[in-house]
Amino acid sequence: MSKDEQTMKAGNTEQMEANGPKEIIERPKWDNKVQYLLTCIGFAVGLGNVWRFPYLCQTYGGGAFLIPYCIALVLEGLPLLHMELAIGQRLRMGSVGVWNSITPYMGGLGVASLLVSFLVGLFYNMILAWILWYFFHSFQNPLPWRDCPVNANLTGYVTECEESSPVNYFWYRTTLNISPNIETSGSIEWWLVLCLATAWCLVYICFIRGIETIGKAIYVTATFPYLVLTIFLIRALTLSGAADGLVYLFTPNWETLKNPKVWLDAATQIFFSLSLAFGGLIAFSSYNPQKNNCERDALIVGCVNSLTSLYASIPIFAILGFKANENYNTCRNINILKLTNAFNIGDENITLENYDEWLNHLNATNPMEVESLNLKTCDLQTFLDQSASGTGLAFIVFTEAVIKMPGSQVWSVLFFVMLFSLGLSSMFGNLEGVLTPLLDLHMVPPWLPKEIFTGLICLTSFTVALIFTLSSGNYWLEIFNSNVGSMPLLIIAFFEIISVVYIYGINRFNDDIEWMSGHRPNIYWQATWRFISPFMLFAVFVAYVVVEAEKRPTYNTWNPNYVHFPLADVLYYPEWVYVICVLLSVIPVVSIPLVAFYHFGRFLKKTIMNRHNQNPYAVEISFGDL
Amino acid sequence: MLEKVLFLLCLTPALAQEPCFPGSSHAYKVRISIKTALGNQAYVWNDNEMYLFRAAMAFALRSYHNGQEFNVSNIMVCNETPRVSFWFVVSSPENSSVLLKKGDVENAIRKSRNRINGAFLLTDQTLEFIDIPPTLAAPVMPVTPPWLIVFGVVMGAVGAGIIFLLVSSLVQSKRKKNKKTLDEDREDMRGIENGLGCDNLGGVYNTTFSDGDKFTPM
């Protein structure tokens, strides 16, 4: 077919340009710019913004952590983000197609992104299933994680619950039914299977027509979390003890800046927070019109992501401060009751205010008796230090705080719907990183409608993710989280930026961006793309390997028969699990050299064959002056 | 010998007068926290309230031991403190020097615990009988766990949505296919204006600009 016929047939599809790939099927496009921006923001803003960043901020000296965080954003996050959006918009393909276009030797990058997106999507949706479980249980009065269940003969509470706490029991026993270690697989928990099925169905229904349905769903899922965070912010600031939490969060401790681990964590946090190297951002920007200012988009998405992290940490820490205050008061009230009962003082004569005076007075008069009571020392700082990140924050710490707030059901429902929206919008990016490359590679038979293909992918992922519904599922999820969602991404991103800058050519890239957005990228982008970002990625990768490889990996288990229960029993991974961990890190990235070698092998074969089949006339020419 | 008899004679009424003492094997300790339970509406604990307590105990024992007529005088109280806490023992109605075993008293109290709590507007936690653990309320289990209901609602809505979208996609693609075949027919018809095909327009075929298959390609 000649070029003209092709253009005519294309009709109202995207414009044809000399360097771009030939596309006969109409490529979907965004309804408007807002949809595109919201989708990218929704992909970048995920659960990590809510439960990882506040924890890091608090662990690494509060306000001081913002400095390495901002530096990492400016030197590493924004350049990589801009590059991914630009390359997707220019080459108009998913991750596999883009890297194949730049050079077939780097086609493995696309495959690596695809594998990583698939593996991350598996365990990420399991977390969404847990969130749904808690959401389903928020419609009861009282909330089921408030009280311990009574034992069989109604004389007391279940031992496991009494020794730990009702929220812990509800999470580890009722929800997960967790086994004591990873070797004990237990059985598939049917209730988790139901929740996982619901989660995948919800993802499927939003994805069913590609960006057409995502674009509609994203209006809700990307904006709802901000609404809820604001509501929580207003509520949290009115709770007593909120100020303690906020002061604790933001008090800068400049000493922590001397610890190199802080810088490493800041760099990795900004990297994972922006969801780089998944291929999802490339896919999203490939649906853009070519003449679009991707520089501004990158700046918007990057800054909104970081500001959201900051904004989310305020209500989280206000509520944690409230919880710490409540625990502190409960601790003191228990002591007061002990004293009141032991010394037969009038009911409610000792209050929280005059507790210290009474204690001193009683200590002076009856020191032996006070000693025998074993009063716990209640320290607000200890309670504030009991922070957590990840699932611990959402399902243990926060649920405990919610039961102490009046109107718990409302806050619980709001919180879990917010978490679900955050996770769902990130799942869109993951699934897009899987689907678009497969569609671009034409691995889908044309008679199979896209809806059915999407459904098949969801069904496959659901089936594989059933391992997370076993009793040991939480341990497996931790393995996936720490191995798939970390090192492979760093390697992929490093090769991405090297490919674009040195193989595709930075000058060619600059020309493309000038053509797309109207102005040439300035010195900041040049410096970061060429030297600073690749160097930083390399340094982070080396530091990561050094820090993680020096110790044999361990994991925390929940074992009711452990001597020091409810403290976690720390165990080493068995050998076969360790092998699986290594495989999970290696398999996605091994495709990069594999594809390169494959193409190199083909190139060698072609050269050798050419040398054998040389044109006989060429030999004759060398004899004379024809 | 006489001194011993006199001593014993003096001791026995003394013992008989003091059946209630803290730590006795027949006595229970009671602890009441009115201010914790009622806050501003707390009443003051006085002798009248104590009388009500003894009457309530007698009632409980009467309900448990059908037939035996316990009276307020059978309930003896001692060691009252400002906490408010005190000890009490129960004597048998037939013989006031015989004290009731702890087990019997405990069962009686357990049976009528709600009534006793109600008489004082208190709860199991604020009217405590030390060593008698409150019977925990059996958990109310509805027939269907509420979470399954919410799950059913959500899944139903999602399932309906998926089916609707799939069916509408199918209908749309069928419509497009029909439109496409219609368009193709129309394209074929494009050359046939007024029912005349290109071929039937008449005229001579100009061979000057026909494609040059006849000539050797360069």
Side-chain angles (χ1 to χ4, degrees), chain A residues 337 340-342 344, chain B residues 29-33 83-86 122 125-130:
Chain A
L337 200 61
T340 315
N341 288 345
N344 286 319
Chain B
K29 181 169 181 184
V30 178
R31 196 186 289 145
I32 299 185
S33 320
R83 168 65 184 81
V84 171
S85 70
F86 49 84
L122 297 173
Q125 282 74 38
T126 38
L127 170 55
E128 298 167 79
F129 290 87
I130 314 297

Side-chain angles (χ1 to χ4, degrees), chain A residues 394-421:
Chain A
F395 300 125
I396 300 179
V397 170
F398 211 80
T399 44
E400 195 179 328
V402 152
I403 33 181
K404 299 190 207 291
M405 291 160 68
S408 327
Q409 282 76 14
V410 173
W411 303 113
S412 180
V413 167
L414 275 179
F415 179 65
F416 288 113
V417 173
M418 174 188 83
L419 284 187
F420 190 74
S421 321

Side-chain angles (χ1 to χ4, degrees), chain A residues 132-133 135-137 139-140 150-151 154-157 190-191 194-195 197-198 201-202 204-205 208-209 212-213 337 340-342 344-349 451-452, chain B residues 29 31-37 81-85 128 133-139 145-148 150-151 154-155 157-158 161-162 164-166 168-169 172:
Chain A
L132 275 181
W133 165 265
F135 167 71
F136 292 151
H137 278 83
F139 292 95
Q140 298 172 8
V150 290
N151 61 15
L154 298 184
T155 51
Y157 298 114
W190 62 270
W191 55 90
L194 287 183
C195 292
T198 317
C201 284
L202 277 164
Y204 178 53
I205 196 178
I208 203 167
R209 290 216 195 123
E212 192 186 319
T213 37
L337 200 61
T340 315
N341 288 345
N344 286 319
I345 309 163
D347 182 25
E348 301 234 333
N349 275 6
E451 290 89 350
I452 307 292
Chain B
K29 181 169 181 184
R31 196 186 289 145
I32 299 185
S33 320
I34 310 175
K35 268 200 225 143
T36 316
T81 69
R83 168 65 184 81
V84 171
S85 70
E128 298 167 79
T135 331
L136 300 164
W147 78 268
L148 274 179
V150 185
F151 162 75
V154 171
M155 258 313 233
V158 170
I162 290 179
F164 168 72
L165 282 172
L166 280 177
S168 73
S169 288
Q172 233 178 40

Side-chain angles (χ1 to χ4, degrees), chain B residues 32 34 38 43 45 49-50 52-54 56 115-122 127:
Chain B
I32 299 185
I34 310 175
L38 300 170
Y43 49 81
W45 187 263
E49 305 286 347
M50 182 57 86
L52 177 59
F53 178 79
R54 293 163 72 198
R115 298 295 299 275
I116 304 172
N117 286 350
F120 292 96
L121 308 173
L122 297 173
L127 170 55

Side-chain angles (χ1 to χ4, degrees), chain A residues 141-150 157-158 161-162 165-170 174 403, chain B residues 139:
Chain A
N141 185 27
L143 289 172
W145 52 83
R146 193 189 72 172
D147 303 313
C148 276
V150 290
Y157 298 114
V158 173
C161 185
E162 260 195 310
S165 74
V167 272
N168 274 320
Y169 181 80
F170 188 77
T174 318
I403 33 181

Side-chain angles (χ1 to χ4, degrees), chain A residues 381-395:
Chain A
Q381 203 59 27
T382 334
F383 289 113
L384 281 171
D385 281 334
Q386 277 173 4
S387 66
S389 76
T391 51
L393 176 73
F395 300 125

